[in-house]
Amino acid sequence: MNTLSFSTHFATPEEAKKEWVVVDAAKEPIVGRLASKVAKIIRGKYKPCFTPNQDCGDNVIIINANKIQFSGAKWSDKEYITFSGYPGGQKRITPEQLIKKPFGYERILRHAVKGMLPKGRLGYKLIKNLYIFDGPEHDKAAQQPKEIDITALK
């Protein structure tokens, strides 16, 4: 049989060209929309070499995290639930209360993005590619990140 081979090429971590990108949360302030686009960038779904079982996405730096918004009345109605495993160890906190704590905005965004990544070893590895800063300044200038317009992505 002398035909073309139709085998799929799977990218290895060495072949994936990981870049550093900066995303401004003030341009896409709704948490869910921002988180879904950031999760796709971290996963590498916007790249032609996307491989489902490899980390071939980019490292993402989110700035202006303190400008995020929820649609509707989610500031007071949404609840984040944690459970320690002990009787009476279930705790609930709303985003309104969470932003008053240290790293509150970071915890809200990290929770949203983490829920949109795969569960298991790959998801744990991918969430480490996310860096969140409350203001317009970040300490990752040595990586020479490029700024992307998050609203242009689908």
Side-chain angles (χ1 to χ4, degrees):
M1 186 166 157
N2 294 336
T3 61
L4 293 173
S5 173
F6 290 106
S7 64
T8 304
H9 174 71
F10 289 103
T12 60
E14 295 81 30
E15 293 174 2
K17 292 181 174 64
K18 295 177 71 70
E19 298 175 350
W20 287 79
V21 296
V22 176
V23 173
D24 191 0
K27 293 182 182 176
E28 182 69 65
I30 304 297
V31 173
R33 294 178 192 154
L34 175 68
S36 65
K37 292 174 183 178
V38 168
K40 282 184 181 180
I41 294 170
I42 290 174
R43 188 89 198 273
K45 287 200 164 191
Y46 290 116
K47 292 187 169 188
C49 67
F50 171 69
T51 303
N53 61 344
Q54 296 292 330
D55 177 11
C56 56
D58 295 333
N59 296 307
V60 177
I61 302 165
I62 298 178
I63 57 173
N64 292 323
N66 54 357
K67 304 251 191 318
I68 59 171
Q69 293 294 320
F70 282 107
S71 59
K74 290 184 186 135
W75 282 112
S76 57
D77 294 348
K78 183 176 178 64
E79 290 183 331
Y80 296 104
I81 302 170
T82 58
F83 181 57
S84 67
Y86 290 97
Q90 189 177 41
K91 295 179 183 169
R92 297 169 185 260
I93 190 167
T94 63
E96 218 170 31
Q97 299 163 338
L98 188 59
I99 61 171
K100 295 175 184 167
K101 294 181 177 267
F103 306 105
Y105 290 106
E106 179 181 347
R107 289 169 65 187
I108 289 172
L109 274 173
R110 192 169 296 278
H111 183 272
V113 172
K114 185 178 179 183
M116 297 179 187
L117 290 174
K119 296 355 174 218
R121 279 187 266 177
L122 181 61
Y124 302 145
K125 188 176 175 185
L126 289 174
I127 196 66
K128 292 177 184 176
N129 296 334
L130 178 65
Y131 302 89
I132 303 170
F133 297 95
D134 283 347
E137 304 290 324
H138 63 84
D139 62 355
K140 305 293 179 196
Q143 280 74 27
Q144 299 169 346
K146 63 175 186 173
E147 189 158 343
I148 60 169
D149 185 20
I150 197 76
T151 56
L153 302 175
K154 289 189 177 190

